[in-house]
Amino acid sequence: MRDLRLSHSGAVTGVPTPARDLPISARGLRLQRGGKLLIDVPDLTIETVGPTMILGPNGAGKSVLIRLLHGLVEPDAGQITLAGRDPDRAARARQAMVFQRPVLLRRSVTGNLHYVLRFHGVPRSERRARVRDLLARGDLSGKGRQSARSLSGGEGQRLALIRALAGAPEILFLDEPTSSLDPGATQRIEALIARAARAGTKVIMVTHDLGQARRLGEEILFLNGGRVEEQTPVADFFPRPRSAAARAFVDGHLLV
Ligand SMILES: Nc1ncnc2c1ncn2[C@@H]1O[C@H](COP(=O)(O)OP(=O)(O)OP(=O)(O)O)[C@@H](O)[C@H]1O
Ligand SMILES: [Mg+2]
């Protein structure tokens, strides 16, 4: 199932080189649905090693854009390249994504984790210890036997994130991964994301939490009406957003 394809572990592909699939570039990217142009991105290059945070109002096209970048949706026009090459199956398998509404397998919490570890070629003898470690990282140690689909919203998000991290992906796409989490859980998940980023995973993350964007991000992509209005280092974005739309967004104004 494509949505569940995650990166290969070191056991399969060797230790990943940081930023091996960068830059991620999009040229002439357009997606239309129902006569409406949802995405219109003529020229985008993502090359910072640190996390890229995607901001923008509801309906701006953030989720659609990361689905396109991850190869889950075919554009009507345009091209995406990774490190200057067309993404092949191996490059896609080095990516992982956590959806805004996570898709969990109809099995137990540990069953979900065993499944991805097997997929990544982790030997059976190592899987139990790895699952224990992942559960601890996601604060889900007491929940291993519960069916994944009966988890609360926040628990499900945490499981989806540790499952995505299980394969040490080269590029990790995250769509509002902390939207249902309480402040403590948010802090712990941010620490997990920061740790993955430090270990060389390129994080591309949608969030509505400006504080989170500031804490985790190296650069901001601001989307509005399916267009990238600006791409700015975090340190410059918050004090001085360049576009009027981003200024209004940061000031808490509603965009229409
Ligand atoms: N298959 C589709 N058919 C028609 N319209 C679509 C389709 N998929 C997405 N859209 C529309 O495209 C726009 C962008 O959607 P998207 O989910 O990317 O927004 P978003 O920026 O992620 O918003 P949010 O912050 O609410 O998650 C929305 O207006 C949405 O209704
Ligand atoms: Mg969205």
Side-chain angles (χ1 to χ4, degrees):
M1 191 202 272
R2 186 154 199 184
D3 285 2
L4 293 171
R5 280 192 342 184
L6 304 172
S7 81
H8 288 288
S9 67
V12 175
T13 58
V15 177
T17 316
R20 153 189 189 172
D21 290 323
L22 294 182
I24 305 167
S25 299
R27 300 279 172 268
L29 198 65
R30 289 164 76 89
L31 185 78
Q32 230 168 327
R33 290 288 184 271
K36 221 185 122 200
L37 192 56
L38 302 185
I39 293 291
D40 183 9
V41 175
D43 193 5
L44 171 67
T45 301
I46 296 176
E47 57 191 339
T48 59
V49 172
T52 296
M53 310 300 279
I54 303 182
L55 300 178
N58 291 140
K62 305 179 296 297
S63 296
V64 173
L65 179 65
I66 63 171
R67 280 168 186 266
L68 282 164
L69 294 177
H70 187 35
L72 295 177
V73 177
E74 274 297 308
D76 294 314
Q79 201 188 11
I80 289 158
T81 56
L82 301 174
R85 293 183 295 274
D86 286 339
D88 57 11
R89 284 174 68 92
R92 290 300 185 198
R94 292 193 293 270
Q95 304 181 348
M97 178 157 170
V98 175
F99 294 88
Q100 195 165 358
R101 296 184 203 94
V103 187
L104 299 171
L105 292 179
R106 205 183 292 279
R107 32 181 106 182
S108 69
V109 170
T110 54
N112 270 262
L113 296 172
H114 276 288
Y115 179 90
V116 288
L117 292 173
R118 193 166 62 238
F119 175 86
H120 290 303
V122 174
R124 183 189 288 266
S125 57
E126 291 173 23
R127 282 184 220 147
R128 278 178 72 155
R130 291 278 290 271
V131 165
R132 257 202 312 276
D133 174 55
L134 287 165
L135 288 173
R137 287 211 252 163
D139 270 326
L140 291 169
S141 294
K143 297 275 172 187
R145 290 181 178 192
Q146 194 171 325
S147 89
R149 295 200 173 170
S150 69
L151 292 174
S152 75
E155 291 164 352
Q157 278 192 327
R158 274 151 38 202
L159 175 58
L161 182 68
I162 55 174
R163 196 180 58 179
L165 290 172
E170 205 51 44
I171 301 175
L172 177 60
F173 295 97
L174 300 170
D175 198 348
E176 300 189 40
T178 60
S179 58
S180 312
L181 303 189
D182 64 57
T186 298
Q187 217 172 40
R188 288 190 290 276
I189 289 299
E190 284 187 13
L192 281 184
I193 295 168
R195 178 169 144 184
R198 279 197 303 275
T201 292
K202 170 63 191 177
V203 173
I204 299 180
M205 174 166 170
V206 177
T207 183
H208 283 290
D209 180 338
L210 300 189
Q212 179 169 73
R214 216 190 291 232
R215 285 189 295 276
L216 287 177
E218 180 172 344
E219 70 169 356
I220 302 288
L221 267 191
F222 183 79
L223 246 72
N224 194 27
R227 294 165 195 271
V228 177
E229 296 255 355
E230 68 176 277
Q231 182 177 17
T232 316
V234 165
D236 298 334
F237 181 82
F238 288 100
R240 299 176 291 283
R242 280 201 305 271
S243 64
R247 269 198 302 278
F249 185 79
V250 170
D251 289 347
H253 292 238
L254 281 179
L255 290 170
V256 284

